[in-house]
Amino acid sequence: MIRLPMESETEPKAAQEPLAERLLRGDKRALARGITLVENDDPAGWALVREVYPQTGRARIVGFTGPPGVGKSTLIGTLIAHARARGREEAVLSIDPSSPFTEGALLGDRIRLAEHFLDEGVYIRSMASRGALGGLSEATLQAVLLMDASGKDDVLVETVGVGQGEVDIIDHADTIVLVLMPGSGDSVQALKAGVMEIPDVIVVNKANHPLTDTMVREIRGVLALGPVTDWKIPILKTEAGEGEGVEELAAAIDAHHDHITAVGTLEERRRRNLRNEVLALAAVRLRRELERSLEGDAAVQELLDRVVRREVDPATAAEELLRGRAR
Ligand SMILES: Nc1nc2c(ncn2[C@@H]2O[C@H](COP(=O)(O)OP(=O)(O)OP(=O)(O)O)[C@@H](O)[C@H]2O)c(=O)[nH]1
Ligand SMILES: [Mg+2]
């Protein structure tokens, strides 16, 4: 995990109020502390999420995805300014796909989002996509839940990626914004090939480029091949640095949210996402449990030896392992 220097998690002496209560009140330091706990797989973190979970589900979760360097962070920065002007409270979770030890992307974000760090109504956090235990969405979803519980109106999640990335936190978004720029032809191909989940809003950023309209036409062509749905995916042109088109993007996100709320897709999506989350958490735990049970179990060691000796194939051994567990 990379700690942002401006976030202080040190608690004033007087703060005897429980962490959950401070977090629910929107205290930024309590939120920072809570996320660190879940990130470290600290039991206190899981307990905190358990406690505040009934207060979640209010924030709008918007995922921003797209290839590296297209301007996701810059767009998020301008969207925050727009939202703040309307009195909304914002949280940003940026998932850093690089190693937790490279601070390059984060340094960049710190510059792009700098004006927002000191704003009490904005909380920005970066997380490595790989947690210490190898599990990632485990901690990331918990972080989103804590941001939601702390009273943020919007939680903006940034991930780099085209296609099925390992970070499926994007699956937990109510609205998915795909950000591209002129020249991201690979992403259009990925959309066409169905590798990439169809987003709800598409943005072509860095639109002051001669190839922008060609790109928009290509995307339109790809979308036309897809199924007809009740939501028409808008393709917007933005120049994030200048704030051009950001108003329209904010309006498109609002419109999508209103739409899915009205037709009931929001409920459906959240239900599906939470189901996947429960399964994912159960799978991680099951694996850990299995790994633990393997240690020092002579029968299991013997089973593995037989696989190595080519007497039992891996699938049969796995079945035996699970049967043994069921007993
Ligand atoms: N010309 C131009 N440059 C832009 C625009 N938006 C962002 N940039 C620049 O593009 C570079 C990358 O912007 P970021 O916002 O960091 O892009 P990102 O998609 O968040 O990048 P990663 O998080 O590293 O994947 C920065 O140097 C920005 O200043 C734009 O609309 N026009
Ligand atoms: Mg970024």
Side-chain angles (χ1 to χ4, degrees):
M1 186 212 80
I2 305 153
R3 189 77 49 87
L4 296 170
M6 284 182 242
E7 280 171 25
S8 163
E9 294 172 17
T10 49
E11 302 177 24
K13 262 264 172 289
Q16 297 302 337
E17 194 186 350
L19 188 58
E21 274 166 40
R22 285 196 289 134
L23 185 133
L24 290 172
R25 257 199 298 109
D27 182 313
K28 234 168 133 168
R29 267 184 310 214
L31 178 56
R33 175 84 194 118
I35 295 178
T36 299
L37 289 174
V38 295
E39 202 167 32
N40 295 341
D41 198 27
D42 189 312
W46 295 98
L48 180 65
V49 174
R50 193 179 310 134
E51 201 170 339
V52 303
Y53 187 69
Q55 312 297 323
T56 61
R58 294 177 190 160
R60 214 164 55 158
I61 301 173
V62 186
F64 293 80
T65 187
V70 293
K72 299 178 293 296
S73 300
T74 313
L75 266 181
I76 287 174
T78 45
L79 279 171
I80 292 178
H82 185 264
R84 292 298 291 145
R86 294 186 295 163
R88 295 177 71 86
E89 300 216 344
E90 305 291 293
V92 179
L93 182 63
S94 122
I95 314 287
D96 185 350
S98 45
S99 121
F101 306 106
T102 57
E103 297 205 26
L106 186 61
L107 276 175
D109 282 356
R110 204 176 290 157
I111 295 161
R112 277 182 274 294
L113 302 173
E115 59 175 309
H116 302 298
F117 273 109
L118 296 177
D119 183 341
E120 263 304 307
V122 179
Y123 179 76
I124 298 167
R125 177 79 169 228
S126 286
M127 268 174 119
S129 61
R130 282 213 169 277
L133 301 160
L136 53 102
S137 31
E138 262 198 277
T140 46
L141 182 75
Q142 311 304 309
V144 170
L145 287 172
L146 293 179
M147 289 171 161
D148 181 346
S150 81
K152 298 295 176 233
D153 295 297
D154 298 298
V155 176
L156 313 178
V157 184
E158 175 184 345
T159 65
V160 177
V162 236
Q164 298 305 102
E166 48 176 348
V167 181
D168 45 13
I169 183 66
I170 204 77
D171 293 341
H172 291 282
D174 302 326
T175 299
I176 298 174
V177 180
L178 172 65
V179 186
L180 302 171
M181 64 183 216
S184 355
D186 290 356
S187 315
V188 180
Q189 288 311 314
L191 264 181
K192 194 168 180 177
V195 188
M196 191 175 349
E197 202 185 328
I198 299 292
D200 304 303
V201 175
I202 298 180
V203 175
V204 179
N205 188 42
K206 307 196 187 184
N208 287 351
H209 186 285
L211 288 176
T212 301
D213 289 327
T214 311
M215 173 111 198
V216 169
R217 265 196 306 278
E218 273 175 28
I219 299 170
R220 206 165 273 140
V222 170
L223 293 183
L225 299 174
V228 178
T229 51
D230 51 6
W231 169 252
K232 190 171 179 307
I233 301 164
I235 306 169
L236 304 168
K237 296 190 272 188
T238 59
E239 186 66 33
E242 313 290 321
E244 276 169 39
V246 170
E247 182 93 39
E248 290 80 358
L249 174 56
I253 294 170
D254 288 349
H256 180 256
H257 202 266
D258 291 347
H259 172 79
I260 57 175
T261 306
V263 303
T265 328
L266 179 62
E267 281 292 318
E268 232 171 75
R269 251 188 216 223
R270 288 188 166 181
R271 190 175 180 83
R272 181 200 65 194
N273 294 343
L274 289 170
R275 168 190 177 275
N276 289 342
E277 179 61 19
V278 172
L279 280 180
L281 285 173
V284 169
R285 274 149 209 243
L286 189 59
R287 192 192 161 99
R288 266 188 223 152
E289 208 180 286
L290 273 173
E291 275 169 0
R292 259 199 303 271
S293 73
L294 296 194
E295 283 162 26
D297 185 326
V300 171
Q301 292 310 322
E302 170 56 19
L303 180 63
L304 291 178
D305 288 344
R306 286 168 60 211
V307 176
V308 174
R309 289 198 302 267
R310 313 276 152 173
E311 294 166 13
V312 180
D313 71 286
T316 307
E319 263 174 42
E320 239 171 83
L321 197 64
L322 289 173
R323 250 200 316 276
R325 205 185 146 271
R327 248 182 263 131

